[in-house]
Amino acid sequence: MGKSRKEFSYEELLKKVKEQELLIKALHDEKEDKINFEYFIKNSPDLACIVGANAYFKMVNDSFVNVLGYSKEELLSKPFFEFIHPDDLEKTSSVFTLLPKNSPVVDFENRYIKKNGEIVILQWKSNLNYSNNLVYSIARDITDIRKTQEKLLSSEKSLNEAQKIAKIGSWDFNLITQELNWSNELYKIFEFEKIQNDTELYGKYLSCFLPKDAEILRLNINKTIAGSEPYEMEHQIILPNKKIKWVYCTGVSVTDSNGNVVALKGVVQDITQKKEIADTIKAKEKAEASNKAKSDFLANMSHEIRTPLNGIIGFTDLLLKTKFDKDQLEYLSTVNESANTLMEIINNILDFSKIESGKLELISEEIDIYELSNQIINLFKYEANHKKIDLVLHIDHAVPQFIKGDSFRLKQILVNLLSNAMKFTFSGHIKLKIEQADADEIVSNIKFSVIDTGIGIKTQNQKKIFQSFIQADNTTTRKYGGTGLGLAISSQLLKLKKSKLKLTSSFGVGSEFFFIIPFEKINEKENSPLIPMNFKEKKSSEISNSLDNYKILIAEDNKINMLLAKTLVKKIIGSCTVIEAANGYDAVVLSEMELPDLILMDIQMPIQNGYDATTAIRKSKTVMHIPVIALTAGVLNGEKDKCISHGMSDYITKPIVHADLEKVLHKWLKK
């Protein structure tokens, strides 16, 4: 028979059962721990993995899949190196290879490439298990953290750069330790050498202050310490090298938990450049204000001078057409000529002012070179005959008859040159020569020359005469008169056309002034025929006689100008009824009552000016259709446009020229 089993006592059996229960519990707890750990690893927001010596993943948790975007099968099928950014392969391989020789790797970073191509930055904690030669690692996605850090660094860098550009330095002062700290930029502003623990820094700082500013600073600091009130001040500083700067300073208090002021801090900004710019702007504004005042003065003076001249020229023109004895006619002609000369001087000064301020613009219109040049020559025929000088016009056959340009300004330049030639020539001839320098199908470069056999100009004076208000010498000024603006204006006008007035002269022999301007050619066949000016003058009486039985309202506050306007209108229009208004308000009222055929409207009038009166007329259904013609002594740039913008139909400048008034009346009364 076999050996009999050992029998246990009840106590022994009970002990065995308890031991088994403890063993079962330990196994159960171990299983529970393993399950919990696996659950923790599986659901951890961090990336967890186990890597073999061959660099293949043995295990990856769900976060690995979620962050990188690959499936577990894809991650486990390749060495982990294939998922790493190429630039980080070398350092990652080095860490992985040396891991057995080192302590656990902490805070190692590298970049992985996600399945969608994006880059993720991972921070690793790794350890090698020597028993199974496996690497256990946990990684945290720090992409957003690094991006935020980069943004902060970029912002800090930008802030530092901005402070440098803005020339702002900061400081702080500890009231307890008496320690004063300055930023590097503040040292640059005051141009002090930076010395560590410089006990004399505050003294050097104050030495740059003017006494009155140092006292203001002391009061500000005391107020800030006493009442926690921030301060700000703007003042000059004088540096040790005597350089002067402007600074803007601010200071605030720093308090402890009990509300006691324990420190001060603030900033200082170098505003020297801003001050200089501000001063420049002020100077510019002052210059512009001065220029505007000059323009306003010229406009005012133009109006005030032209108003009496309007009467003088107008009435002397009328008187010259009546019968006088020889002496009376000579005296009257002298008055008329003097008034016209004064008007010419005023026009030159105004033109020069407009050119200087850049307000003069050239227009483009059709010009008949033959007609224009003959008109100009005709202006000087009387004087040439009187001085027994030959006046010659030569136009080369190659010069196109019709061109595009500003006829008024071209005429002004040539009249200035011929006028000078006439003034300084006493025998021989004066020639206006027009020839084509070169041309293509579209543009003709035309050369204009004024040649005389006058007194000539000395070599040392030839450049000087093109300056404003200057003539060849004082003797010339006294002997021949004039403003000295003619050549200066001509030169400035030519500059607007990118041309230049040139001179060749021999003293005692004569002079030649010439210039070349490019003009656009116009096909003669496409032009409507132009009526020559002399033809217009001859037919003047026929035009006048064709106007009869019209009612004209004249708004004019100056009695002399009113009388002149009435006289001229009655000479032009037969059986004319004239209604007089002494101001703009009366003009509006009388236009409603009388219903005139045309209104001649002065601009500067009491109670209501011509602009406002015309605006009121245009708002009235009864009289809004009546032509309103501006009569103005203002001739500055934009005057005509301003009249038209206020509803005026046309524009006549004072002094009123009989032919101009006749033309305008005929134009608007025959419509």
Side-chain angles (χ1 to χ4, degrees):
M1 289 184 64
K3 191 177 180 179
S4 60
R5 287 191 311 177
K6 181 182 177 180
E7 292 186 2
F8 294 98
S9 65
Y10 176 77
E11 286 80 8
E12 289 175 329
L13 286 172
L14 187 61
K15 183 180 177 182
K16 287 286 185 183
V17 169
K18 286 183 178 179
E19 287 176 352
Q20 288 296 320
E21 286 178 347
L22 288 171
L23 181 61
I24 291 169
K25 186 176 183 304
L27 290 172
H28 181 268
D29 289 345
E30 185 179 347
K31 184 178 179 181
E32 280 290 317
D33 289 343
K34 186 177 180 181
I35 291 170
N36 288 335
F37 182 74
E38 287 177 353
Y39 179 83
F40 170 74
I41 293 297
K42 177 180 174 62
N43 294 286
S44 171
D46 292 332
L47 290 73
C49 66
I50 301 173
V51 180
N54 59 359
Y56 277 78
F57 289 114
K58 297 292 185 182
M59 185 278 291
V60 292
N61 68 348
D62 290 347
S63 289
F64 232 105
V65 173
N66 295 335
V67 171
L68 296 182
Y70 294 99
S71 66
K72 283 188 179 181
E73 291 73 18
E74 289 174 314
L75 290 168
L76 297 175
S77 66
K78 299 177 183 178
F80 71 83
F81 288 114
E82 295 194 18
F83 302 101
I84 294 174
H85 192 285
D87 293 346
D88 291 347
L89 277 173
E90 187 177 344
K91 71 174 182 178
T92 305
S93 176
S94 176
V95 170
F96 185 72
T97 303
L98 296 174
L99 194 61
K101 301 176 184 179
N102 297 326
S103 59
V105 174
V106 178
D107 295 341
F108 169 72
E109 292 181 19
N110 64 2
R111 290 168 292 176
Y112 271 63
I113 299 174
K114 297 165 70 171
K115 189 171 183 177
N116 63 7
E118 293 178 2
I119 294 173
V120 61
I121 302 172
L122 300 177
Q123 185 181 58
W124 294 91
K125 297 182 187 298
S126 302
N127 204 351
L128 174 66
N129 187 339
Y130 288 96
S131 64
N132 56 15
N133 205 30
L134 295 177
V135 177
Y136 293 80
S137 300
I138 294 177
R140 178 159 292 177
D141 181 359
I142 60 169
T143 308
D144 290 339
I145 293 173
R146 288 292 175 261
K147 285 181 178 178
T148 301
Q149 288 174 340
E150 286 175 6
K151 287 180 180 178
L152 286 172
L153 286 171
S154 177
S155 297
E156 185 178 352
K157 185 179 179 182
S158 297
L159 180 61
N160 289 335
E161 287 296 323
Q163 288 182 344
K164 189 175 180 180
I165 292 168
K167 298 181 180 179
I168 295 176
S170 60
W171 58 269
D172 61 77
F173 180 63
N174 190 310
L175 295 174
I176 298 170
T177 63
Q178 297 292 294
E179 184 181 358
L180 175 63
N181 295 309
W182 277 21
S183 68
N184 291 335
E185 191 61 34
L186 194 52
Y187 280 101
K188 287 181 182 178
I189 291 172
F190 280 83
E191 300 183 20
F192 290 167
E193 181 185 354
K194 187 174 182 179
I195 302 172
Q196 290 294 336
N197 303 317
D198 187 359
T199 56
E200 297 179 1
L201 182 57
Y202 187 66
K204 289 190 286 188
Y205 167 68
L206 283 180
S207 70
C208 296
F209 278 62
L210 295 172
K212 63 180 180 64
D213 294 324
E215 178 60 20
I216 293 171
L217 176 66
R218 187 185 68 78
L219 293 172
N220 283 334
I221 289 174
N222 289 340
K223 284 182 182 178
T224 302
I225 293 172
S228 297
E229 294 180 9
Y231 73 84
E232 57 184 54
M233 58 186 294
E234 182 180 296
H235 59 92
Q236 280 184 317
I237 54 172
I238 302 173
L239 304 184
N241 59 8
K242 305 303 178 185
K243 186 189 291 184
I244 296 175
K245 290 184 178 180
W246 278 90
V247 291
Y248 172 73
C249 309
T250 59
V252 296
S253 60
V254 179
T255 57
D256 60 14
S257 57
N258 297 320
N260 299 315
V261 177
V262 294
L264 299 173
K265 63 180 180 179
V267 295
V268 177
Q269 182 180 16
D270 182 352
I271 59 169
T272 307
Q273 191 175 19
K274 290 181 181 178
K275 274 286 186 182
E276 289 172 353
I277 292 170
D279 290 343
T280 303
I281 291 171
K282 283 180 182 177
K284 180 175 176 287
E285 289 173 349
K286 187 177 180 181
E288 287 174 348
S290 175
N291 192 48
K292 184 179 183 302
K294 183 184 77 172
S295 296
D296 291 344
F297 172 77
L298 285 171
N300 244 359
M301 291 309 297
S302 165
H303 182 273
E304 295 304 318
I305 295 171
R306 281 170 174 271
T307 297
L309 275 178
N310 181 49
I312 296 168
I313 293 173
F315 280 114
T316 51
D317 277 340
L318 291 172
L319 284 170
L320 285 170
K321 293 173 184 177
T322 61
K323 291 182 179 181
F324 283 98
D325 61 40
K326 185 180 178 182
D327 288 342
Q328 289 173 325
L329 189 60
E330 184 181 349
Y331 300 155
L332 194 56
S333 297
T334 303
V335 173
N336 185 263
E337 186 180 336
S338 298
N340 279 295
T341 301
L342 181 56
M343 184 60 66
E344 184 182 342
I345 291 169
I346 293 167
N347 288 339
N348 276 341
I349 293 171
L350 290 171
D351 276 344
F352 186 73
S353 175
K354 284 189 280 186
I355 294 169
E356 265 198 331
S357 61
K359 292 181 180 179
L360 190 143
E361 296 178 2
L362 300 179
I363 63 172
S364 182
E365 60 188 349
E366 184 179 292
I367 302 174
D368 183 338
I369 283 285
Y370 299 166
E371 181 185 30
L372 182 70
S373 55
N374 275 288
Q375 287 174 10
I376 294 167
I377 288 295
N378 286 336
L379 293 174
F380 295 93
K381 275 185 177 179
Y382 175 80
E383 191 173 355
N385 290 333
H386 181 71
K387 295 177 78 171
K388 296 181 181 179
I389 296 170
D390 292 331
L391 188 59
V392 182
L393 170 62
H394 173 77
I395 304 176
D396 187 74
H397 64 86
V399 174
Q401 181 177 357
F402 297 100
I403 57 173
K404 266 193 174 181
D406 191 323
S407 62
F408 179 78
R409 295 304 173 186
L410 177 58
K411 184 176 180 180
Q412 184 179 10
I413 295 168
L414 292 173
V415 166
N416 274 337
L417 297 181
L418 283 164
S419 179
N420 269 0
M422 191 64 70
K423 187 186 295 183
F424 300 110
T425 303
F426 305 97
S427 62
H429 68 267
I430 296 173
K431 180 188 288 186
L432 172 58
K433 187 177 180 182
I434 305 172
E435 54 192 333
Q436 183 169 266
D438 57 78
D440 55 31
E441 292 182 1
I442 299 172
V443 175
S444 174
N445 291 301
I446 301 176
K447 180 180 179 181
F448 296 86
S449 305
V450 174
I451 306 161
D452 66 61
T453 55
I455 63 174
I457 303 164
K458 293 177 182 177
T459 305
Q460 64 267 29
N461 291 329
Q462 289 185 15
K463 287 185 179 179
K464 189 165 66 171
I465 61 170
F466 292 102
Q467 298 175 32
S468 56
F469 301 104
I470 293 176
Q471 294 190 344
D473 55 47
N474 289 332
T475 303
T476 304
T477 304
R478 287 194 299 270
K479 186 174 180 181
Y480 299 102
T483 60
L485 282 175
L487 291 178
I489 290 170
S490 298
S491 294
Q492 295 286 359
L493 289 172
L494 287 169
K495 276 185 184 178
L496 297 176
K497 287 292 290 182
K498 295 180 172 58
S499 182
K500 187 177 182 180
L501 183 59
K502 298 181 180 180
L503 163 68
T504 58
S505 182
S506 297
F507 185 65
V509 177
S511 305
E512 178 184 357
F513 288 88
F514 62 95
F515 58 90
I516 298 173
I517 300 182
F519 289 102
E520 182 185 344
K521 294 189 287 189
I522 300 176
N523 190 332
E524 184 179 347
K525 293 179 181 179
E526 295 175 0
N527 270 285
S528 56
L530 298 174
I531 303 171
M533 183 172 282
N534 59 354
F535 177 78
K536 284 184 183 179
E537 290 170 354
K538 288 178 182 178
K539 294 294 180 182
S540 166
S541 59
E542 294 176 20
I543 294 172
S544 298
N545 293 337
S546 66
L547 296 177
D548 198 11
N549 294 320
Y550 283 103
K551 188 186 290 186
I552 308 296
L553 191 154
I554 303 175
E556 172 64 71
D557 63 311
N558 184 282
K559 292 180 180 180
I560 296 173
N561 286 339
M562 173 65 81
L563 177 59
L564 176 61
K566 279 169 54 181
T567 305
L568 290 173
V569 167
K570 287 182 177 180
K571 279 186 172 291
I572 295 168
I573 304 174
S575 303
C576 175
T577 302
V578 174
I579 304 136
E580 299 180 30
N583 57 66
Y585 177 80
D586 289 349
V588 177
V589 174
L590 288 169
S591 67
E592 296 270 6
M593 293 171 57
E594 300 289 346
L595 299 176
D597 299 296
L598 182 140
I599 301 171
L600 295 175
M601 183 77 73
D602 184 31
I603 299 300
Q604 293 192 18
M605 292 185 291
I607 302 176
Q608 190 175 40
N609 63 42
Y611 297 130
D612 295 338
T614 304
T615 301
I617 288 169
R618 292 294 177 237
K619 289 179 180 178
S620 170
K621 291 182 180 180
T622 311
V623 294
M624 63 188 301
H625 64 283
I626 298 174
V628 179
I629 313 300
L631 293 178
T632 175
V635 291
L636 290 180
N637 196 37
E639 186 78 22
K640 183 173 183 179
D641 292 337
K642 190 174 180 181
C643 290
I644 300 302
S645 69
H646 280 80
M648 295 180 178
S649 312
D650 217 325
Y651 174 95
I652 296 176
T653 59
K654 296 176 183 177
I656 302 170
V657 177
H658 184 280
D660 292 343
L661 180 60
E662 184 177 11
K663 181 181 175 183
V664 168
L665 291 176
H666 191 268
K667 173 183 175 182
W668 291 100
L669 292 176
K670 282 295 184 180
K671 285 195 171 188

